[in-house]
Amino acid sequence: MEGATGAPVVSNTVWSQPEGFSKWRVVHAEFTAPKSQPDELDGLLAHLVSGKGRRFTLRCGFDSDDFESLNDAYDLDGDPAFLIGKSLLMSVGDAPRRFMRAGPLPWSQVRIVSVDANVDGSARINGIFDFGESAMQLSSDWAAGLAAVCGGDENVVGSRVSYRLMPDDSVEWRLIPGDLVANSSLREEAA
């Protein structure tokens, strides 16, 4: 496997569509209001189409589990039109309905400048991201994945990695090899 610059990359996660979910495309989405109070929005109406041409109409109130799951997956932020044209995964069967993004978010890169590890295994990384200097809070699973692709906790500082958020909210990490001199000098500064 090669990265964007042709350098080999190391990855620790491969994502595939989970069982019990089917893929749909949103063709229409709008917030709804009761007829008696047209100015008071109370839910979401969305029309979905599957790859096999099946149609599904989703109606859910803002306080429903369906809306909460959909909002967790796509962060609607008051704009249902954001969903139009997006693909999503919807659970099938008798269990409560759950939604996920249909694919991972785009790749981002970070050069890790420092790490503040917590006792529970979680960590806060400070780094230079695609968009500038910032910090990112990692769960214990995310921190363990990062350490694994970097070759251990001691190699995280100074590493340059690509990452993307997967539909199940796990993170895929890829080490971007190279820049060994810069990596070792950052590790020495952190020590």
Side-chain angles (χ1 to χ4, degrees), residues 52-120:
K52 296 179 180 178
R54 294 180 303 208
R55 298 185 180 280
F56 183 82
T57 299
L58 173 68
R59 295 177 201 277
C60 56
F62 291 144
D63 58 350
S64 69
D65 291 339
D66 288 350
F67 184 81
E68 183 179 336
S69 178
L70 189 59
N71 196 38
D72 286 347
Y74 278 101
D75 193 19
L76 299 177
D77 197 28
D79 184 15
F82 171 77
L83 282 175
I84 297 172
K86 299 264 191 259
S87 292
L88 55 83
L89 298 178
M90 181 172 65
S91 61
V92 296
D94 296 333
R97 195 173 299 130
R98 289 188 35 228
F99 296 94
M100 283 191 224
R101 291 179 306 278
L105 294 179
W107 287 99
S108 295
Q109 289 186 7
V110 60
R111 176 174 300 284
I112 301 168
V113 176
S114 67
V115 177
D116 299 320
N118 299 319
V119 194
D120 64 357

Side-chain angles (χ1 to χ4, degrees), residues 14 20 26 44 61 63 66:
V14 176
V26 180
L44 174 76
D63 58 350
D66 288 350

Side-chain angles (χ1 to χ4, degrees), residues 7-190:
V9 293
V10 178
S11 177
N12 70 335
T13 307
V14 176
W15 185 85
S16 60
Q17 182 174 320
E19 287 188 36
F21 283 83
S22 60
K23 189 172 182 178
W24 298 83
R25 186 173 45 85
V26 180
V27 294
H28 173 82
E30 66 179 296
F31 287 142
T32 59
K35 290 180 182 178
S36 61
Q37 296 174 322
D39 294 336
E40 294 293 322
L41 298 176
D42 69 344
L44 174 76
L45 169 67
H47 298 286
L48 313 175
V49 177
S50 74
K52 296 179 180 178
R54 294 180 303 208
R55 298 185 180 280
F56 183 82
T57 299
L58 173 68
R59 295 177 201 277
C60 56
F62 291 144
D63 58 350
S64 69
D65 291 339
D66 288 350
F67 184 81
E68 183 179 336
S69 178
L70 189 59
N71 196 38
D72 286 347
Y74 278 101
D75 193 19
L76 299 177
D77 197 28
D79 184 15
F82 171 77
L83 282 175
I84 297 172
K86 299 264 191 259
S87 292
L88 55 83
L89 298 178
M90 181 172 65
S91 61
V92 296
D94 296 333
R97 195 173 299 130
R98 289 188 35 228
F99 296 94
M100 283 191 224
R101 291 179 306 278
L105 294 179
W107 287 99
S108 295
Q109 289 186 7
V110 60
R111 176 174 300 284
I112 301 168
V113 176
S114 67
V115 177
D116 299 320
N118 299 319
V119 194
D120 64 357
S122 64
R124 177 183 172 93
I125 61 170
N126 297 300
I128 303 168
F129 292 79
D130 294 338
F131 51 84
E133 286 190 43
S134 189
M136 181 177 178
Q137 186 65 38
L138 306 179
S139 68
S140 56
D141 292 339
W142 291 10
L146 175 60
V149 299
C150 291
D153 291 334
E154 65 281 354
N155 296 324
V156 172
V157 173
S159 295
R160 198 169 110 217
V161 295
S162 291
Y163 65 94
R164 64 181 176 172
L165 187 62
M166 306 305 278
D168 61 359
D169 289 333
S170 64
V171 173
E172 180 177 1
W173 299 99
R174 288 185 176 177
L175 179 63
I176 303 171
D179 246 357
L180 296 177
V181 174
N183 288 355
S184 60
S185 65
L186 278 172
R187 284 189 197 103
E188 289 171 9
E189 289 175 19

